[in-house]
Amino acid sequence: MVAWMTPGTVENPVDFGFRTVSMANKPRLVRALFDDVAARYDLMNDLMSVGVHRLWKAAMIDWLAPRAPARFLDVAGGTGDVAFRILERLSAAGPNAADDAAVTLVDASEAMLGTGRDRALDAGIARGLDWVRGDAEDLPIDDGSIDYYTIAFGIRNVARIDRTLEEAFRVLKPGGRFLCLEFSHVLLPALGIAYDAYSFRVLPALGEIVTGNREAYRYLAESIRRFPDQRTFAAMIGDAGLAQIKVRNLSGGIAALHSAWRI
Ligand SMILES: C[S@@+](CC[C@H](N)C(=O)[O-])C[C@H]1O[C@@H](n2cnc3c(N)ncnc32)[C@H](O)[C@@H]1O
């Protein structure tokens, strides 16, 4: 069966970049894409953002201000960048400060999880981090059990953003924190023109050289354009029941942080 078709021929159509696929098919397509690029994913992140994704993730952890004892859930956690940073930040408070933290990383791609586990071994991170294969739309996590829910560059890839946000609400404890880092909409038109040229010309070519998968990085550029703008996404977070929503733009809106709480 063809993976994508024109709207109208697809049951429950959703975006897959600029294409339309059935809601049932999207998770498989996304998983296959990340399985394929997993081994070169981190290198490609550094190259395509010239390291800037590290600054965005640092800004995320600064705003999260994690404290233990607590239970952390990093959804679509991939190769572990955010989870490692949470543990690192906790450890900075003292030699045993991370001992009371339980960090669970959930991701749909076994290959991304495998690359992440190898990174953890290389970095000597043996404790405090649980790697779980699972779906952001149907988390294998108990109701009201999480103090901090994070998701970085993950929610753009799910089939149903609203369902993913409802799951975030479900698993958070009352008083728990939601923090999402995602590509967003640039605020300056001049920046937008340069960014478009970079995204649609340079990125797929670089993706092909580094990962051998041009389509994956074309999908990246397209999926960013399809993702709701800052204000719309904030409203969706509110619709899921989360409160005190705040937005911080990063690099002129190329990325944004959305913070909220379960009250
Ligand atoms: C762009 S990567 C982000 C990885 C990591 N959070 C980071 O910032 O480097 C997106 C990740 O989302 C995962 N993903 C996509 N759809 C998912 C879903 N429905 N449930 C869980 N993980 C998903 C992919 O497997 C991939 O590892």
Side-chain angles (χ1 to χ4, degrees):
M1 190 170 114
V2 276
W4 42 78
M5 313 171 194
T6 52
T9 62
V10 180
E11 205 174 324
N12 297 323
V14 292
D15 291 334
F16 179 71
F18 289 168
R19 296 155 202 160
T20 301
V21 300
S22 77
M23 190 188 288
N25 250 339
K26 181 166 177 176
R28 187 178 54 77
L29 293 169
V30 168
R31 204 168 48 241
L33 185 154
F34 284 102
D35 279 348
D36 194 55
V37 302
R40 309 282 277 176
Y41 172 82
D42 293 302
L43 173 64
M44 183 61 189
N45 264 358
D46 276 336
L47 292 176
M48 73 181 182
S49 73
V50 217
V52 172
H53 78 103
R54 291 170 182 254
L55 302 179
W56 294 340
K57 286 169 180 160
M60 181 184 204
I61 302 300
D62 281 346
W63 201 9
L64 189 68
R67 281 166 176 262
R71 193 156 171 219
F72 296 83
L73 177 66
D74 185 40
V75 176
T79 59
D81 255 7
V82 171
F84 296 158
R85 284 164 188 272
I86 289 170
L87 286 168
E88 199 181 327
R89 180 62 62 100
L90 292 171
S91 300
N96 302 318
D99 288 358
D100 293 332
V103 183
T104 302
L105 183 157
V106 172
D107 198 278
S109 159
E110 193 53 62
M112 291 290 279
L113 290 168
T115 300
R117 282 194 206 98
D118 289 346
R119 285 180 73 195
L121 281 176
D122 289 346
I125 301 167
R127 286 190 304 150
L129 180 51
D130 208 9
W131 302 82
V132 177
R133 179 154 173 200
D135 186 350
E137 297 184 41
D138 186 17
L139 290 168
I141 303 288
D142 291 340
D143 294 359
S145 60
I146 297 296
D147 297 285
Y148 298 84
Y149 173 110
T150 49
I151 182 164
F153 305 114
I155 203 158
R156 180 175 34 83
N157 298 296
V158 303
R160 292 172 299 178
I161 297 172
D162 53 354
R163 171 83 192 135
T164 301
L165 292 170
E166 283 161 18
E167 276 293 89
F169 180 86
R170 179 184 68 75
V171 300
L172 277 169
K173 292 178 185 171
R177 175 86 182 276
F178 168 91
L179 191 58
C180 173
L181 170 61
E182 189 50 88
F183 289 108
S184 200
H185 288 237
V186 293
L187 305 172
L188 301 171
L191 177 60
I193 293 165
Y195 181 50
D196 270 356
Y198 176 75
S199 306
F200 289 103
R201 295 202 188 138
V202 180
L203 256 189
L206 188 62
E208 178 154 36
I209 294 164
V210 177
T211 70
N213 190 334
R214 185 184 191 90
E215 286 305 303
Y217 288 87
R218 186 163 74 107
Y219 161 79
L220 169 64
E222 293 177 355
S223 64
I224 291 169
R225 298 311 183 281
R226 285 284 185 257
F227 191 70
D229 65 21
Q230 289 84 333
R231 188 186 290 246
T232 308
F233 184 49
M236 294 174 83
I237 294 169
D239 290 344
L242 294 160
Q244 295 185 14
I245 301 152
K246 293 196 175 67
V247 185
R248 285 187 187 170
N249 286 301
L250 302 168
S251 306
I254 291 178
L257 287 163
H258 282 74
S259 165
W261 298 81
R262 176 169 177 176
I263 303 297

